[in-house]
Amino acid sequence: EYKSYLSVAMAEFDISNDRLLKVAEDIVAEMESGLAGNPSSLLMLPTYVHKLPDSNMRGNYLALDFGGSTFRVVHVKLEAGKEPVTKSSTSTMDASMKTVEGKELFDHLASRIASFVQDEHLEDQELPLGFTFSFPMRQYSISEGSLVRWTKGFQNQGVEDQDVGLLLSQALQRNSVTSHIIMKALANDTAGTQVSGAVRYSNCHGGFIIGTGSNACYTEKVANVASLKNCKEDNVIINIELGNFGERGHVSDLLTKHDKVLDDDSVNTGKQLDKAAVRKQFSNISDKDIELIQTICNAVSNRAAKLTAAGMHAIWLKRNKENFIVAVDGSVYIKHATFSEVLRRTLLDLGTKVELRTASDGSGLGSALIASTA
């Protein structure tokens, strides 16, 4: 009876290939609507990254990687024909920093940059800075962009609708950081991941982050982007903000009662329904409890992998079914025991002809590489 009940309950999390193909078609429709400037759950934000780097780049660069529970300052040294050399310092973001005034938050980030530059004796170096800002951001140029809305539990006042590049530059000035640091580029971690992959693979035209949050980007023709009608470049990386898919009801039939409970308890109720995190603490559990937990975790992670495959299939469709490489980063993709296997198997089942390549440190190295092309 227990086994039968568990089987029925977990069947709620399964998604057929036909339903996944419909999800992909709906994603493409939302992508096209967003690109045209029409209502869409997908923001389809131009990143103003028009050129992908290659292995001939050279110079010294800084990256600030800020996107959640930790943040990093990274020094990247590029030499033509060689692998990039990086050195970084990682800091934990105290929970209290998620609710302080925006000015205090950016002063905190700037003070860590100042300490890193001094510790590494880089004060006399010309250091273009790439700022990986892994939150929904509407960009106006390669170095200017405003926060659309906070996610991941951040609620700092005075940042939404403001130019985060300018906020960081002002904080750097307040904290007496060397004038040799020049804010050159804003990026989110997904665009950084694609660019990090592109420096190794010339046919890399997609990027995915699968970790604390999930998102995707891809190379789009400028002619298809309504907001870039005066741009003379050929291509641009588009930040899809794929985690927002579902806000207009496209996957409501896939949500279980458990998803709805989680959404009701979240900070952003009704938002980012394509992302979910389950946090529980267990003690003194029985073998049956362990079996139950494993079954639930497998069902949830398999569903997540299949929905991720639907997102990749959508990008493949949007790019006219071309074969290309997708750079992937994120703790779930890299460390989860079965996620990548289920993802690849589902891509095969759907007929999606893309190749997955792990792009290490897309959010640090990738941001610096974007700065190198700015």
Side-chain angles (χ1 to χ4, degrees), residues 60-335:
N60 287 282
Y61 302 88
L62 281 182
L64 172 62
D65 173 17
F66 171 45
S69 57
T70 62
F71 65 95
R72 295 182 303 146
V73 184
V74 186
H75 172 221
V76 177
K77 185 175 183 180
L78 301 177
E79 294 187 45
K82 297 182 179 179
E83 281 289 308
V85 177
T86 64
K87 190 169 185 180
S88 65
S89 173
T90 302
S91 301
T92 300
M93 181 65 70
D94 189 86
S96 64
M97 293 303 298
K98 293 186 175 183
T99 56
V100 300
E101 288 294 318
K103 181 178 178 181
E104 184 177 345
L105 173 65
F106 279 84
D107 279 343
H108 180 63
L109 297 173
S111 68
R112 291 295 185 269
I113 295 174
S115 297
F116 180 80
V117 168
Q118 292 166 359
D119 291 344
E120 298 300 317
H121 308 291
L122 297 171
E123 296 96 328
D124 297 329
Q125 294 283 340
E126 188 80 9
L127 296 168
L129 172 69
F131 181 16
T132 296
F133 186 72
S134 301
F135 300 91
M137 177 175 57
R138 193 171 302 281
Q139 284 192 247
Y140 311 108
S141 72
I142 190 65
S143 60
E144 301 171 298
S146 61
L147 172 65
V148 175
R149 67 174 180 231
W150 281 120
T151 57
K152 307 176 188 177
F154 283 81
Q155 302 175 56
N156 309 84
Q157 296 296 314
V159 183
E160 290 186 354
D161 299 320
Q162 300 299 309
D163 181 355
V164 293
L166 178 60
L167 292 177
L168 180 61
S169 295
Q170 292 172 339
L172 290 171
Q173 293 175 0
R174 287 194 298 271
N175 286 268
S176 302
V177 178
T178 172
S179 60
H180 294 300
I181 299 178
I182 306 169
M183 247 295 299
K184 293 287 287 186
L186 277 173
N188 75 353
D189 54 355
T190 319
T193 295
Q194 181 179 338
V195 170
S196 181
V199 80
R200 298 180 176 91
Y201 312 107
S202 60
N203 194 32
C204 183
H205 290 294
F208 267 72
I209 290 286
I210 309 168
T212 304
S214 61
N215 192 17
C217 67
Y218 73 107
T219 305
E220 179 61 87
K221 294 178 180 178
V222 166
N224 294 333
V225 187
S227 62
L228 298 181
K229 61 182 179 181
N230 296 322
C231 179
K232 297 181 180 179
E233 301 286 347
D234 293 328
N235 300 302
V236 64
I237 293 178
I238 293 291
N239 169 22
I240 300 174
E241 288 298 332
L242 187 58
N244 293 334
F245 180 72
E247 291 183 10
R248 281 155 51 93
H250 290 96
V251 292
S252 58
D253 63 306
L254 301 179
L255 298 179
T256 69
K257 61 184 178 182
H258 314 291
D259 296 301
K260 293 168 186 174
V261 169
L262 283 173
D263 184 48
D264 289 342
D265 289 341
S266 73
V267 174
N268 298 307
T269 302
K271 305 295 183 181
Q272 296 189 304
L273 295 179
D274 202 41
K275 299 181 179 179
V278 183
R279 297 170 184 162
K280 292 283 185 181
Q281 292 183 351
F282 299 92
S283 59
N284 301 320
I285 57 178
S286 67
D287 289 343
K288 182 175 288 189
D289 291 331
I290 292 173
E291 180 184 6
L292 173 63
I293 294 167
Q294 289 175 333
T295 302
I296 293 172
C297 289
N298 284 336
V300 171
S301 63
N302 287 351
R303 182 182 67 168
K306 290 180 178 182
L307 287 171
T308 300
M312 291 184 178
H313 189 79
I315 294 175
W316 179 67
L317 292 176
K318 185 67 180 68
R319 287 186 55 82
N320 299 315
K321 299 184 179 181
E322 296 176 352
N323 291 6
F324 60 93
I325 289 173
V326 176
V328 189
D329 197 4
S331 56
V332 171
Y333 178 77
I334 293 172
K335 296 180 180 180

